[in-house]
Amino acid sequence: MSTTILTLVGSLRAGSVNRQLAETAAAGAPEGVEVQIFDRLGEIPFYNEDIDAEGTIPETAQALRNAAAASDGLLLISPEYNGTMPAVLKNAIDWLSRPFGASPISGMPTAVIGAAFGQYGGVWAQDDARKSVGIAGARVVEEVRLAIGSSVTRYAELHPKDDAETVAQLDEALRVLADASVSAV
C-alpha cells in the first residue's frame, strides 16, 4: 500500500531552493511513499467566501481540494518572506480549511519544512504555517522539523539532491510523516 503525500511549495519561483527540496523529496521518496507536488498555487485566487459556493468555486481551488482529499498526508515547504510564510501558502491553507468542519485536511497529518536565506532557515515562517494549518484542522506532525539556513550560499553550486545531508533529512521527514499518515487511518 502506498502513502500519498501532497506537497505545497510556498515559493512560485521556478528555481527556488524550496521547489528543489520538493523535487528532491519526490524523486527520492522512501519506498511506499509517493510525493505529489501541486504546482498551481499561483493560479488560485485569494480566498473569498463569495466565490466559495457550489458552481462558483475556481477550478484551481477545487483541484487543490481534490488533490488533498486524495492524499494521506500534507507536506508544506516554505521559504520565509518578511518574517512569515508567503501569501500563496497561506491562501492555499485558507482554501483547504473549507468547508468548515469537513475540509479535505481535517485531521490530516501535516508537516512543515523549508529553507531560507537567513541563518535560522525560516523557522518563523514554519511556525506560522504550523499554527495556521493546525487551526485549519490538520494534525500537525511536530516531530518533523527541518529548517535549512543560509540556503542561498549552501546551494549556490549544489542542488539539494546532491547534498547527502539534505537527502537524508528529507527522507527522515517523509518517513515520519508517512508513518503518521498510516497510523491515522
Side-chain angles (χ1 to χ4, degrees):
M1 182 174 155
S2 180
T3 301
T4 301
I5 305 296
L6 177 64
T7 302
L8 308 179
V9 180
S11 175
L12 299 179
R13 191 170 57 84
S16 84
V17 169
N18 287 286
R19 175 154 307 282
Q20 291 174 357
L21 289 174
E23 293 165 353
T24 300
E31 186 174 335
V33 177
E34 180 185 358
V35 174
Q36 294 183 345
I37 303 168
F38 188 86
D39 281 327
R40 300 178 65 195
L41 292 186
E43 300 171 30
I44 301 172
F46 283 115
Y47 184 80
N48 177 344
E49 198 170 2
D50 290 341
I51 61 172
D52 189 10
E54 192 170 330
T56 61
I57 299 171
E59 182 275 328
T60 50
Q62 189 60 55
L64 174 63
R65 286 178 175 166
N66 293 345
S71 300
D72 303 301
L74 181 63
L75 178 64
L76 307 178
I77 303 181
S78 183
E80 188 168 275
Y81 292 174
N82 299 312
T84 192
M85 75 179 114
V88 69
L89 191 55
K90 176 62 169 75
N91 188 49
I93 293 169
D94 291 344
W95 277 103
L96 288 172
S97 72
R98 305 290 193 273
F100 181 74
S103 77
I105 62 168
S106 182
M108 180 177 283
T110 301
V112 182
I113 65 171
F117 177 76
Q119 66 180 343
Y120 301 113
V123 294
W124 290 348
Q126 291 180 31
D127 287 345
D128 286 348
R130 284 185 193 93
K131 176 184 174 186
S132 182
V133 77
I135 290 170
R139 183 170 56 87
V140 176
V141 180
E142 293 289 347
E143 298 85 359
V144 176
R145 299 278 174 153
L146 178 55
I148 301 170
S150 305
S151 62
V152 173
T153 55
R154 179 171 182 171
Y155 301 115
E157 296 182 25
L158 180 71
H159 191 286
K161 71 178 171 32
D162 299 319
D163 183 286
E165 180 183 18
T166 300
V167 170
Q169 290 171 323
L170 286 170
D171 183 74
E172 178 62 18
L174 288 172
R175 286 181 192 282
V176 173
L177 181 55
D179 288 348
S181 298
V182 170
S183 67
V185 175

